């Protein structure tokens, strides 16, 4: 794409929108940039919301993505509390909730995702929470201060991180999961089992294979009719991409706004990045929606490079992290086309790694628990489509740097 001089409008002042605005300036874009967000707060880190922020261990300055004068210094017009209600692609304008509209030459959709809601009786009660925004986290934090028993519906990363934070605050926790195991969509069975044990050792109770039928004032009712006491409930059953503006304006959407490797949508003047985008992932030859900070940064780079006429950045290997208690999980790659797993260390121990391989021995993913070296070496090997020796991987006496070499 030729370099653009006209106004860039970014919808969504989250991680992706913030990164795109900053990178445009870094790459030399000198035209007007407007960053529109419907939240009250300037862009902030979302990952601490279920971790340090929930436990009261981080302050607002640490949560903010930038210092207070960053946007003014970069000549980025940050407009908060401002919802975009409509895209007029023909007229190249966005309409705002205050009735005004803004012209764009290039538009970036960075609208993120919403917490998925559950359509069950009682889901709207005041003690039922979800966790996506700082406002959600503040409400949950206030509730946990007076809570004795939290029920979490959903045993994914966010549910488990909230469980760890609630235990640190001395609140009893029950996790209710529809599937037969935790982290069913996002982690291997041995990893999920290790995390279940980690939480059980901290006193968390699990109900697996358990549907939820209703929520009452002091209990959750499971599909089998049993009642489980809870004075607060978190629904943590995944996120739904915020694609309404895109879909209403006729952009291609399929579980996210469909984009190419430049983050460009089916309209050449509109980009979509972050949790709202369904992007190609060349390493796995698929189109996927990735919900992670590293993905938002990679796609922000793709869009900013295309808008400023730079060469496209090299594709990155997807990665993710999660912190629970004093355990740091790092995952590189995706658990796709996996036919076998090599265990390094013992999944019952504080430190171990799981290397997942394709049928031909190619390393596809590594799940590293308190094992930074294994994570970093694994990430490089995944990018190189390496076929490391399973014997060496399983042998703790063989250093990762030797395997990498
Ligand atoms: P968002 O951060 O959702 O930002 C989108 C913004 O757009 C929001 O502010 C939204 O209100 C706004 N918006 C939407 N529609 C409009 C509109 N019409 N007009 C104006 N504004 C609009 N990732 C990791 O890699 N590691 C972790 O440990 C981790 N932990 C997480 C913990 C929690 C509790 C959550 C919620 C997420 C976590 N993630 C983690 C995921 C990561 O935070 C997301 O992938 C990332 O924030 C996505 O950024 P985004 O900018 O695409 O979307």
């Amino acid at each position: 794409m030729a370099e653009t001089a006209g106004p860039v409008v970014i919808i969504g002042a989250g991680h992706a929108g913030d990164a795109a605005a900053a990178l445009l300036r870094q790459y030399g874009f000198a035209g007007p940039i407007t960053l529109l967000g419907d939240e009250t707060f300037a862009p902030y880190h979302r990952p601490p919301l279920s971790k340090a922020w929930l436990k009261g261990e981080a302050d607002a300055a640490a949560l903010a993505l930038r210092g207070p004068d960053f946007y003014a210094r970069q000549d980025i017009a940050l407009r908060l509390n401002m919802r975009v209600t409509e895209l007029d692609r023909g007229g190249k304008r966005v309409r705002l909730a205050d009735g005004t509209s803004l012209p764009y030459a290039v538009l970036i959709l960075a609208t993120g995702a919403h917490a998925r809601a559950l359509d069950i009786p009682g889901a709207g009660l005041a003690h039922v929470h979800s966790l996506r925004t700082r406002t959600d986290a503040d409400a949950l934090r206030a509730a946990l201060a007076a809570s004795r028993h939290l029920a979490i519906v959903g045993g994914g990363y966010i549910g488990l991180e909230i469980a760890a934070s609630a235990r640190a605050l001395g609140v009893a926790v029950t996790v209710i999961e529809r599937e037969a195991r935790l982290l069913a969509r996002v982690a291997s069975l041995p990893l999920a089992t290790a995390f279940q044990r980690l939480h059980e050792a901290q006193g968390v109770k699990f109900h697996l294979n358990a549907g939820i039928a209703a929520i009452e004032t002091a209990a959750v009712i499971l599909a089998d009719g049993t009642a489980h006491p809870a004075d607060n409930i978190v629904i943590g059953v995944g996120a739904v991409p915020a694609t309404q503006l895109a879909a209403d304006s006729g952009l291609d959407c399929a579980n996210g706004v469909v984009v190419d490797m430049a983050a460009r949508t089916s309209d050449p003047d509109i980009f979509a990045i972050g949790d709202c985008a369904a992007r190609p992932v060349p390493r796995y030859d698929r189109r996927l929606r990735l919900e992670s900070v590293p993905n938002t940064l990679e796609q922000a780079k793709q869009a900013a490079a295309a808008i400023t006429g730079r060469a496209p950045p090299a594709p990155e290997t997807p990665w993710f992290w999660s912190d629970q208690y004093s355990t740091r999980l790092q995952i590189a790659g995706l658990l796709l086309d996996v036919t076998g797993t090599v265990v390094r260390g013992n999944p019952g121990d504080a430190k171990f790694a799981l290397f997942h391989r394709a049928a031909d021995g190619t390393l596809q993913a590594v799940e590293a628990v308190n094992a930074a070296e294994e994570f970093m070496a694994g990430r490089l090997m995944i990018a190189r489509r390496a076929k490391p020796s399973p014997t060496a991987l399983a042998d703790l006496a063989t250093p990762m740097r030797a395997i990498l070499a």
Side-chain angles (χ1 to χ4, degrees):
M1 177 177 181
E3 197 174 335
T4 310
V8 174
V9 171
I10 303 171
I11 308 177
H15 236 294
D18 169 273
L23 284 164
L24 282 168
R25 287 291 183 243
Q26 196 182 315
Y27 293 173
F29 177 73
I33 302 176
T34 304
L35 180 55
L36 297 162
D38 61 358
E39 293 188 61
T40 316
F41 304 102
Y44 55 87
H45 294 275
R46 241 164 256 274
L49 296 182
S50 47
K51 311 175 184 90
W53 183 260
L54 199 56
K55 290 185 279 183
E57 292 172 357
D59 62 14
L63 199 68
L65 278 170
R66 310 284 179 182
D69 56 353
F70 174 82
Y71 303 98
R73 270 195 288 114
Q74 295 290 318
D75 195 18
I76 295 165
L78 173 63
R79 294 180 63 182
L80 300 173
N81 291 309
M82 188 50 72
R83 183 160 187 78
V84 176
T85 54
E86 196 188 333
L87 305 188
D88 170 8
R89 287 170 51 203
K92 295 192 83 170
R93 298 187 80 84
V94 295
R95 286 190 216 297
L96 309 181
D98 65 359
T100 62
S101 71
L102 272 180
Y104 67 82
V106 169
L107 183 68
I108 302 178
L109 294 167
T111 48
H114 308 294
R116 189 187 299 278
L118 275 188
D119 186 15
I120 51 166
L125 290 170
H127 66 313
V128 181
H129 303 264
S130 58
L131 181 51
R132 180 76 203 175
T133 64
R134 179 174 159 186
T135 306
D136 296 337
D138 291 348
L140 180 57
R141 190 159 92 168
L144 287 180
S147 182
R148 297 186 59 188
H149 201 143
L150 177 70
I152 300 170
V153 182
Y157 286 120
I158 290 184
L160 293 182
E161 288 177 359
I162 295 170
S165 298
R167 290 303 297 129
L169 295 168
V171 180
V173 176
T174 302
V175 174
I176 297 150
E177 168 58 53
R178 186 185 59 181
E179 304 296 328
R181 68 170 178 95
L182 302 177
L183 301 168
R185 286 179 304 121
V186 286
S188 68
L189 178 58
L191 188 85
T193 306
F195 270 82
Q196 182 171 343
R197 291 202 185 113
L198 173 72
H199 281 272
E200 282 169 346
Q202 300 287 336
V204 176
K205 301 261 181 302
F206 290 96
H207 296 283
L208 303 177
N209 284 313
I212 175 151
I215 295 172
E216 296 178 349
T217 328
V220 288
I221 313 296
L222 301 189
D224 66 7
T226 54
H228 299 266
D231 51 30
N232 278 283
I233 293 101
V234 178
I235 308 292
V237 293
V240 182
T243 53
Q244 180 125 24
L245 288 174
D248 287 353
S249 68
L251 293 174
D252 287 352
C253 293
N255 181 32
V257 187
V258 173
V259 295
D260 64 15
M261 281 302 283
R264 193 183 279 106
T265 67
S266 50
D267 178 332
D269 297 324
I270 303 183
F271 294 77
I273 59 177
D275 283 15
C276 72
R279 54 160 293 179
V281 186
R283 173 64 182 76
Y284 298 90
D285 201 17
R286 285 171 173 83
R287 180 181 302 287
L288 297 166
R289 204 169 62 74
L290 301 176
E291 291 176 8
S292 73
V293 169
N295 174 64
T296 67
L297 301 180
E298 183 190 5
Q299 283 201 293
K301 278 187 224 158
Q302 293 171 348
I307 293 166
T308 54
R310 287 193 160 212
E316 295 173 19
T317 302
W319 68 277
F320 182 79
W321 81 92
S322 176
D323 294 320
Q324 295 167 42
Y325 310 104
S326 55
T327 298
R328 164 150 282 210
L329 167 67
Q330 292 166 296
I331 301 182
L334 301 171
L335 282 147
L336 294 170
D337 309 321
V338 166
T339 56
T341 298
V342 179
V343 182
R344 184 175 171 88
N346 177 357
D349 293 347
K351 175 180 172 177
F352 66 93
L354 303 165
F355 292 91
H356 302 287
R357 304 180 332 132
D360 67 354
T362 305
L363 189 63
Q364 296 292 87
V366 57
E367 295 172 314
V369 174
N370 295 324
E373 253 184 85
E374 279 74 3
F375 165 72
M376 283 184 294
R379 196 169 147 205
L380 284 172
M381 289 191 286
I382 293 163
R384 292 178 193 164
R385 296 179 189 262
K387 296 177 183 173
S389 146
T391 317
L393 285 176
D395 177 18
L396 285 171
T398 307
M400 286 311 298
R401 60 179 180 284
I403 300 171
L404 191 58

